[in-house]
Amino acid sequence: MRDIAAITYASDPVKKGLDRVLEAWAAARRDGEELVVVTEHTLPAQEGVRFEEVRGEAFRSLVRRARVYVVAPRREDFGIAQLEALADGCMLVTTDAPGPYEARELARRLDPRLVGDDLAGALRAALDDPAPAYTERAAEMLEPYSPEGVDRTVAEELLPRLLAAG
């Protein structure tokens, strides 16, 4: 059951742009909607925001209850949490960010309205007007990142190149 409107992870609140996420949430939130912020940091209370300190499977369990995973990173090194959120059935709302941010590109292909500087607008679009078959299309796009997909890439592309170079 997707009873959490949105979730974000802020191990480093500055790098992850938590201030921008909270500002967008304050502008976009409707009564009864909740943003869960997973962080180890103590932050001031805000209406419609719940802070949690969880890790591992407890984090993934929260993500599976959320409709939207929202981030506004100032730099994104990998975006693993975002890829996991897509795999767990969340829509990804994100800003552009420098770095090898593969999840942003997938999110843009899934629904370009959800990627950009207007986080509040993107949140409302995701919550009020989700793109058709978003989660199904995300699952298809994530297949190359699965263990089976990686094994296939290694067997079909990497090993033949290594053997040919040897």
Side-chain angles (χ1 to χ4, degrees):
M1 176 171 74
R2 303 246 175 217
D3 59 327
I4 298 170
I7 191 167
T8 192
Y9 175 68
S11 57
D12 180 341
V14 173
K15 180 181 173 194
K16 296 297 181 184
L18 183 58
D19 57 327
R20 299 188 289 188
V21 169
L22 292 174
E23 181 180 327
W25 183 250
R29 178 184 170 272
R30 293 198 180 134
D31 284 340
E33 291 179 333
E34 180 179 56
L35 168 69
V36 174
V37 177
V38 177
T39 185
E40 301 88 35
H41 301 275
T42 303
L43 299 164
Q46 181 175 327
E47 189 174 353
V49 178
R50 175 170 45 114
F51 295 97
E52 293 280 343
E53 186 176 339
V54 296
R55 297 182 191 280
E57 186 51 39
F59 171 68
R60 295 290 294 272
S61 178
L62 278 175
V63 171
R64 285 189 289 274
R65 290 175 47 203
R67 292 166 47 204
V68 174
Y69 189 93
V70 58
V71 290
R74 288 180 168 81
R75 173 173 175 75
E76 189 53 70
D77 295 325
F78 302 105
I80 300 299
Q82 292 92 313
L83 290 170
E84 290 175 341
L86 284 168
D88 286 338
C90 282
M91 290 174 284
L92 177 57
V93 169
T94 185
T95 56
D96 281 314
Y101 187 12
E102 185 69 15
R104 173 198 55 220
E105 299 312 314
L106 295 177
R108 185 175 278 124
R109 289 176 29 211
L110 287 162
D111 188 345
R113 301 173 305 159
L114 308 187
V115 179
D117 292 333
D118 180 12
L119 275 181
L123 279 163
R124 286 293 12 130
L127 292 169
D128 297 338
D129 185 28
Y134 185 101
T135 56
E136 294 82 2
R137 292 183 1 232
E140 290 173 14
M141 293 169 75
L142 289 166
E143 197 283 327
Y145 301 92
S146 70
E148 299 81 14
V150 171
D151 288 347
R152 189 172 37 261
T153 299
V154 169
E156 294 174 5
E157 296 179 34
L158 181 61
L159 284 177
R161 288 180 186 174
L162 290 173
L163 292 172

